[in-house]
């Protein structure tokens, strides 16, 4: 299949609390705020929406290849995940092909959101300006009942406005987008059988 299927692809590491935050708060709030900014509502890919029996490495690669912009949720584990690195490097290679994210054209196709840390990121993880969400990094559902959640909504709305602006500069889809091969799926070791 050719062409774009998604406007945004959310790339994140599964360790720590960022996945819980994404699923409990950020994803739904982003969809709401994007709907307030643009019609029809932009499509956002999160890997929790895969159908059963799908080969998930291929599904992830296909979704990224057919997404316009990558939203990067930055944590220390992001830079330790070979999957996240494959996603990120694939988008960086796409930017190179297009002549983006350089002195002549500083805007790119990767939109970083800082969830935690930043002191321990590698140098290449600090080269782009990010939206700082560290003060909103509460993954628990009761957070939605707090006063701070009003400020969280305001910040996500700003992100949505930025993302809608970025959509305006996305070039047409090309079948030759570069892919950085992801690692082989990690399979859990078999459970040892008790010996009688």
């Amino acid at each position: 299949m050719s062409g774009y299927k998604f406007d945004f692809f959310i790339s994140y590491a599964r360790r720590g609390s960022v996945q819980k935050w994404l699923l409990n708060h950020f994803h739904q709030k982003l969809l709401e705020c994007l709907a307030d900014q643009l019609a029809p509502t932009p499509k956002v890919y999160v890997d929790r929406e895969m159908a059963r029996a799908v080969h998930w490495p291929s599904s992830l690669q296909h979704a990224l290849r057919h997404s316009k912009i990558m939203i990067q949720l930055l944590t220390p584990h992001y830079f330790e995940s070979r999957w996240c690195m494959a996603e990120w490097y694939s988008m960086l290679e796409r930017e190179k092909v297009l002549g983006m994210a350089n002195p002549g054209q500083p805007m790119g196709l990767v939109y970083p959101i800082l969830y935690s840390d930043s002191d321990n990121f590698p140098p290449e993880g600090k080269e782009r300006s990010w939206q700082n969400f560290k003060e909103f990094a509460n993954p628990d559902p009761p957070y939605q009942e707090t006063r701070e959640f009003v400020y969280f909504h305001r910040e996500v709305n700003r992100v949505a406005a930025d993302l809608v602006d970025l959509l305006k500069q996305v070039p047409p889809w090309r079948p030759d987008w570069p892919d950085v091969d992801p690692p082989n799926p990690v399979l859990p070791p078999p459970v040892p059988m008790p010996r009688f």
Side-chain angles (χ1 to χ4, degrees):
M1 176 178 286
S2 63
Y4 290 117
K5 293 177 64 179
F6 304 100
D7 296 289
F8 306 107
F9 177 101
I10 299 182
S11 178
Y12 67 99
R14 291 176 174 255
R15 292 182 179 245
S17 62
V18 68
Q19 178 177 235
K20 195 173 166 186
W21 177 81
L22 167 65
L23 300 177
N24 285 343
H25 308 307
F26 183 72
H27 181 226
Q28 186 58 43
K29 187 58 70 179
L30 179 63
L31 292 175
E32 293 169 9
C33 291
L34 285 169
D36 289 341
Q37 300 280 343
L38 187 65
T41 303
K43 294 181 180 176
V44 179
Y45 179 85
V46 177
D47 64 359
R48 308 299 284 187
E49 300 168 356
M50 277 188 230
R52 298 246 184 238
V54 166
H55 181 252
W56 60 266
S58 300
S59 179
L60 278 174
Q61 203 167 18
H62 179 81
L64 181 61
R65 184 176 190 69
H66 294 272
S67 294
K68 296 176 182 177
I69 294 168
M70 186 175 86
I71 300 170
Q72 188 183 39
L73 302 183
L74 297 177
T75 65
H77 286 288
Y78 189 90
F79 300 99
E80 298 295 317
S81 165
R82 295 186 315 163
W83 279 95
C84 292
M85 292 297 93
E87 292 166 0
W88 185 34
Y89 290 148
S90 292
M91 289 303 280
L92 295 182
E93 288 300 313
R94 188 187 301 187
E95 290 175 340
K96 283 181 191 172
V97 166
L98 295 167
M100 300 177 87
N102 63 47
Q105 166 66 330
M107 285 305 242
L109 301 173
V110 178
Y111 188 92
I113 292 177
L114 178 63
Y115 178 79
S116 63
D117 187 48
S118 77
D119 295 332
N120 298 301
F121 291 178
E124 63 270 21
K126 299 178 181 182
E127 289 179 353
R128 292 188 193 234
S129 59
W130 53 54
Q131 283 288 4
N132 189 341
F133 268 68
K134 285 167 75 170
E135 69 178 289
F136 307 111
N138 185 329
D140 299 317
Y143 179 53
Q144 295 182 14
E145 306 304 320
T146 67
R147 182 184 186 100
E148 287 77 26
F149 200 73
V150 173
Y151 303 116
F152 171 74
H153 170 86
R154 184 183 62 199
E155 292 304 310
V156 175
N157 204 44
R158 286 183 182 156
V159 166
D162 284 352
L163 292 171
V164 167
D165 282 344
L166 280 177
L167 284 177
K168 296 172 188 170
Q169 68 173 358
V170 172
W173 187 84
R174 288 172 39 176
D176 63 340
W177 291 143
D179 284 320
V180 173
D181 288 333
N184 290 325
V186 178
L187 300 175
V191 177
M193 298 297 290
R195 304 196 86 164
F196 297 101

